[in-house]
Amino acid sequence: MISVVCWIPKGASKAEPVVPEPPTQEEIEDIIKSGALATREESDVEDDDNMDVDAAKAVHEVSHALTAANALGKNSSNGFPDITDALKELDMDHYDEEDDGIELFGSGLGDTYYPSNDVDPYLKDKDDEDDEEIEDLTIKSTDSVVVCARNEDDVSHLEIYILEESEDGSLNMYVHHDVILPAFPLCTAWLDCNLNGGDKGNFIAVGSMEPAIEIWDLDLIDELQPHVVLGGVSEKKKKKGKKAVVKYKKDSHKDSVLGLSWNREVRNVLASASADHSVKVWDIVEGKCAVTMEHHTDKVQSVSWNRHVPEVLLSGSFDRSVVMKDMRSPSHAGIRWSVPADVESLAWDPHVGHTFLVSLEDGTVQAFDIRAAASGSDSTSTKPNFVLHAHDKAVCSISYNPSVPNLLATGSTDKMVKLWDLSSNQPSCIASKNLKAGHVFSVAFSEDSPSLLAVGGDKGRLEVWNTMAEDAVAQRFGRSNRSSNKSSA
């Protein structure tokens, strides 16, 4: 299944991602101490045992063949007088023993001489293969990049997809590389704060079933360790007959990390939501938690920073409330809105700074205007701008189009993805599609190619919908899409 999809801005990735340095002696020792190799060693022993059995079986089969051949050879009238001699000549009893008399430098193809590498067919083919491999690894500035957090056969990983857009609008899509994760991924947040120093980088934060938040460098291929780990378990001791005692790192979450949001303006800041009922704000450069808030009474499913007022943070919980906090006064109670069901996701309108949407487990989406709420009060009496009965089941994910005002995508466990026109707070469905992604867990519009919507679900396949190919969408929003493309160019 794909639990979440995330677009990477064009040009943010290195043209040629690098292979990291091999692990140091200390890192190797840490891996050995962790016991990660124990399972492999047991597997190797089992493989050796299987090889011994196979070898014994092979010897038995050769012996049986020789016996049969001898019996046949005693009677030349059977038509097979040469089998015994042929098998003896092959000496199959000793077929896997090394021959000390082998000449390493014989008079075969190895003696063929070519005056230059250009005319050597073997080297030439190799050069062509190397060129093709380099070309496959190169990420062009025009390529769209999508990261999928997925789980398959109990293996969790990030898959980094390249989407090449042709002139006729068709897409060539393939996995460029992947990152193996230690736990089931639940949420991601891309960030350009360069943790290596310098101006901008290409990193992604991953929240999972574990209490730790891992931050990976997407410009590294075959990386084994995250660049930074925020929080997590420091020690776990299991006493015989007793429950395991778990010790956490300082200021760590104590349960799964369900939501992440990166602050685009204050680029070293990351917010996290957890099943431990808390919301945390992290300084990712320092690798430390700056603020912990416990204003919810149940699992916190989603967090979201306001693009227009970067100090303002929303959080939504299974306690059926949404809370807005101003991080200049994090101890303040903030503003709370009550909703009729568990919160699934949150999204600020990227085109205005005062409106947000919340999607719920009951299949509805509600819109609120923060200007209508009274500061410091429970805004149960504040009516939403609208209540949209979007799906038959939980609305797991919502995505505003970042370039086209009033265009919204919703994805649900009813397997449908829908597009909405929110103009004048009177939402109307303008397109609906079953993309064969299964139960939909994540939808996301591209900022660079506003017509493209990435979709992930329990079928485990990345689906990309060209929404402007739908007549109703093109008629209502085609002009806005063309204008945004011109401005971005």
Coordinates of all heavy atoms in Angstrom, one line a residue, residues 88-122:
K88 N 32.2 -42.0 -17.6 CA 33.5 -42.1 -17.0 C 34.4 -41.0 -17.5 O 35.2 -40.4 -16.7 CB 34.1 -43.5 -17.2 CG 33.4 -44.6 -16.4 CD 34.1 -45.9 -16.6 CE 33.4 -47.0 -15.8 NZ 34.0 -48.3 -16.0
E89 N 34.3 -40.7 -18.8 CA 35.2 -39.7 -19.3 C 34.9 -38.3 -18.7 O 35.8 -37.5 -18.5 CB 35.0 -39.6 -20.9 CG 36.0 -38.6 -21.5 CD 35.9 -38.7 -23.0 OE1 35.3 -39.7 -23.5 OE2 36.3 -37.8 -23.7
L90 N 33.6 -38.1 -18.5 CA 33.2 -36.8 -17.9 C 33.6 -36.7 -16.4 O 33.8 -35.6 -15.9 CB 31.7 -36.6 -17.9 CG 31.1 -36.3 -19.3 CD1 29.5 -36.4 -19.3 CD2 31.5 -35.0 -19.9
D91 N 33.8 -37.8 -15.8 CA 34.3 -37.9 -14.4 C 33.4 -37.0 -13.5 O 33.8 -36.1 -12.8 CB 35.7 -37.4 -14.3 CG 36.3 -37.7 -12.9 OD1 35.8 -38.6 -12.2 OD2 37.3 -37.0 -12.6
M92 N 32.1 -37.3 -13.5 CA 31.1 -36.5 -12.8 C 31.2 -36.6 -11.3 O 30.7 -35.8 -10.5 CB 29.7 -36.9 -13.2 CG 29.3 -36.6 -14.7 SD 29.4 -34.8 -15.0 CE 28.0 -34.3 -14.1
D93 N 31.9 -37.7 -10.8 CA 32.2 -37.8 -9.4 C 33.0 -36.6 -8.8 O 33.0 -36.3 -7.7 CB 32.8 -39.1 -9.0 CG 31.8 -40.2 -9.0 OD1 30.6 -40.0 -8.7 OD2 32.2 -41.4 -9.4
H94 N 33.8 -36.1 -9.7 CA 34.8 -35.0 -9.3 C 34.5 -33.7 -10.1 O 35.5 -32.9 -10.3 CB 36.2 -35.5 -9.5 CG 36.5 -36.8 -8.8 ND1 36.4 -38.0 -9.5 CD2 36.9 -37.1 -7.5 CE1 36.7 -39.0 -8.7 NE2 37.0 -38.5 -7.5
Y95 N 33.3 -33.5 -10.5 CA 33.0 -32.4 -11.4 C 33.3 -31.0 -10.7 O 33.5 -30.0 -11.3 CB 31.6 -32.4 -11.9 CG 30.5 -32.0 -10.9 CD1 30.0 -30.7 -10.9 CD2 30.1 -32.9 -10.0 CE1 29.0 -30.4 -10.0 CE2 29.1 -32.6 -9.1 CZ 28.6 -31.3 -9.1 OH 27.6 -31.0 -8.2
D96 N 33.1 -31.0 -9.3 CA 33.2 -29.7 -8.7 C 34.6 -29.5 -8.0 O 34.8 -28.5 -7.3 CB 32.1 -29.5 -7.6 CG 32.2 -30.6 -6.5 OD1 32.9 -31.6 -6.8 OD2 31.5 -30.5 -5.5
E97 N 35.6 -30.4 -8.3 CA 36.9 -30.2 -7.7 C 37.7 -29.4 -8.7 O 37.6 -29.4 -9.9 CB 37.6 -31.5 -7.5 CG 36.9 -32.4 -6.4 CD 37.6 -33.7 -6.3 OE1 38.6 -33.9 -6.9 OE2 37.0 -34.6 -5.5
E98 N 38.6 -28.5 -8.1 CA 39.4 -27.6 -9.0 C 40.5 -28.4 -9.7 O 41.1 -29.3 -9.1 CB 40.0 -26.5 -8.1 CG 38.9 -25.5 -7.5 CD 39.6 -24.4 -6.7 OE1 40.8 -24.3 -6.7 OE2 38.8 -23.6 -6.2
D99 N 40.8 -28.0 -10.8 CA 41.9 -28.6 -11.6 C 43.1 -27.7 -11.5 O 43.2 -26.5 -11.9 CB 41.4 -28.6 -13.1 CG 42.4 -29.4 -13.9 OD1 43.5 -29.7 -13.4 OD2 42.1 -29.8 -15.1
D100 N 44.2 -28.3 -10.8 CA 45.4 -27.5 -10.6 C 46.1 -27.2 -11.9 O 47.0 -26.4 -12.0 CB 46.4 -28.3 -9.7 CG 45.7 -28.5 -8.3 OD1 44.9 -27.6 -8.0 OD2 46.1 -29.4 -7.6
G101 N 45.7 -27.9 -13.0 CA 46.5 -27.7 -14.2 C 45.9 -26.7 -15.2 O 46.3 -26.7 -16.3
I102 N 44.9 -25.9 -14.7 CA 44.3 -25.0 -15.6 C 45.2 -23.9 -15.9 O 45.9 -23.3 -15.1 CB 43.0 -24.4 -14.9 CG1 41.9 -25.5 -14.8 CG2 42.5 -23.2 -15.7 CD1 40.7 -25.0 -14.1
E103 N 45.3 -23.5 -17.2 CA 46.2 -22.4 -17.6 C 45.3 -21.1 -17.6 O 44.3 -21.0 -18.2 CB 46.6 -22.6 -19.1 CG 47.6 -23.8 -19.2 CD 48.1 -24.0 -20.6 OE1 47.9 -23.0 -21.4 OE2 48.7 -25.0 -20.9
L104 N 45.9 -20.1 -16.8 CA 45.1 -18.9 -16.6 C 45.2 -18.0 -17.9 O 44.3 -17.3 -18.2 CB 45.7 -18.1 -15.4 CG 45.6 -18.8 -14.1 CD1 46.2 -17.9 -13.0 CD2 44.1 -18.9 -13.7
F105 N 46.3 -18.2 -18.6 CA 46.4 -17.4 -19.8 C 46.6 -18.3 -21.0 O 47.6 -18.7 -21.4 CB 47.7 -16.5 -19.7 CG 47.7 -15.6 -18.6 CD1 48.3 -15.9 -17.4 CD2 46.9 -14.4 -18.6 CE1 48.3 -15.0 -16.3 CE2 46.9 -13.5 -17.5 CZ 47.6 -13.8 -16.4
G106 N 45.4 -18.7 -21.5 CA 45.4 -19.7 -22.6 C 45.4 -19.0 -24.0 O 45.5 -17.8 -24.1
S107 N 45.2 -19.7 -25.0 CA 45.3 -19.2 -26.3 C 43.9 -19.1 -26.9 O 43.6 -19.7 -28.0 CB 46.2 -20.1 -27.2 OG 45.6 -21.4 -27.2
G108 N 43.0 -18.5 -26.2 CA 41.6 -18.3 -26.6 C 41.4 -16.9 -27.1 O 42.2 -16.2 -27.6
L109 N 40.1 -16.4 -26.8 CA 39.8 -15.0 -27.2 C 40.6 -14.0 -26.4 O 40.8 -12.9 -26.9 CB 38.3 -14.8 -26.9 CG 37.3 -15.4 -27.9 CD1 35.9 -15.2 -27.4 CD2 37.4 -14.8 -29.3
G110 N 41.2 -14.4 -25.3 CA 42.0 -13.5 -24.5 C 43.2 -13.0 -25.2 O 43.8 -12.0 -24.9
D111 N 43.6 -13.7 -26.3 CA 44.8 -13.3 -27.0 C 44.5 -12.3 -28.1 O 45.4 -11.8 -28.8 CB 45.5 -14.5 -27.7 CG 46.1 -15.4 -26.6 OD1 46.4 -14.9 -25.5 OD2 46.3 -16.6 -26.9
T112 N 43.2 -12.1 -28.4 CA 42.8 -11.2 -29.4 C 43.2 -9.7 -29.0 O 42.9 -9.3 -27.9 CB 41.3 -11.2 -29.7 OG1 40.9 -12.5 -29.9 CG2 40.9 -10.3 -30.8
Y113 N 43.9 -9.1 -30.0 CA 44.4 -7.7 -29.7 C 43.6 -6.7 -30.5 O 43.4 -6.9 -31.7 CB 45.9 -7.7 -30.0 CG 46.4 -6.3 -29.9 CD1 46.7 -5.7 -28.6 CD2 46.7 -5.5 -31.0 CE1 47.2 -4.4 -28.5 CE2 47.2 -4.2 -30.9 CZ 47.4 -3.7 -29.7 OH 47.9 -2.4 -29.6
Y114 N 43.2 -5.6 -29.9 CA 42.6 -4.5 -30.6 C 43.4 -3.3 -30.4 O 43.9 -2.9 -29.2 CB 41.2 -4.2 -30.0 CG 40.2 -5.4 -30.2 CD1 40.0 -6.3 -29.1 CD2 39.6 -5.6 -31.4 CE1 39.2 -7.4 -29.3 CE2 38.8 -6.7 -31.6 CZ 38.6 -7.6 -30.5 OH 37.7 -8.7 -30.7
P115 N 43.7 -2.5 -31.4 CA 44.6 -1.4 -31.4 C 44.1 -0.3 -30.5 O 44.9 0.5 -30.0 CB 44.8 -0.9 -32.8 CG 43.5 -1.5 -33.5 CD 43.2 -2.8 -32.8
S116 N 42.8 -0.2 -30.3 CA 42.3 0.9 -29.4 C 41.0 0.4 -28.8 O 40.3 -0.5 -29.3 CB 42.0 2.2 -30.2 OG 40.9 2.1 -31.0
N117 N 40.6 1.1 -27.6 CA 39.3 0.7 -27.0 C 38.1 1.0 -27.8 O 37.1 0.4 -27.7 CB 39.2 1.5 -25.7 CG 40.2 1.0 -24.6 OD1 40.8 0.0 -24.8 ND2 40.4 1.8 -23.6
D118 N 38.2 1.9 -28.8 CA 37.1 2.3 -29.6 C 36.6 1.2 -30.5 O 35.5 1.1 -30.9 CB 37.4 3.5 -30.5 CG 37.6 4.8 -29.7 OD1 37.1 4.8 -28.5 OD2 38.4 5.7 -30.1
V119 N 37.6 0.3 -30.9 CA 37.2 -0.8 -31.8 C 37.0 -2.1 -31.0 O 36.7 -3.1 -31.7 CB 38.3 -1.0 -32.9 CG1 38.3 0.2 -33.8 CG2 39.7 -1.3 -32.3
D120 N 37.3 -2.1 -29.7 CA 37.1 -3.3 -28.9 C 35.6 -3.5 -28.6 O 35.0 -2.6 -27.9 CB 37.9 -3.3 -27.6 CG 37.8 -4.6 -26.8 OD1 36.8 -5.3 -27.0 OD2 38.8 -4.8 -26.1
P121 N 34.9 -4.5 -29.2 CA 33.4 -4.5 -29.1 C 33.0 -4.7 -27.6 O 31.9 -4.3 -27.2 CB 33.0 -5.7 -29.9 CG 34.3 -6.6 -30.0 CD 35.4 -5.6 -30.0
Y122 N 33.8 -5.4 -26.8 CA 33.5 -5.6 -25.4 C 33.5 -4.4 -24.6 O 32.6 -4.0 -23.9 CB 34.4 -6.7 -24.8 CG 34.3 -8.0 -25.6 CD1 35.3 -8.4 -26.5 CD2 33.3 -8.9 -25.4 CE1 35.3 -9.5 -27.3 CE2 33.2 -10.1 -26.2 CZ 34.2 -10.4 -27.1 OH 34.1 -11.6 -27.8

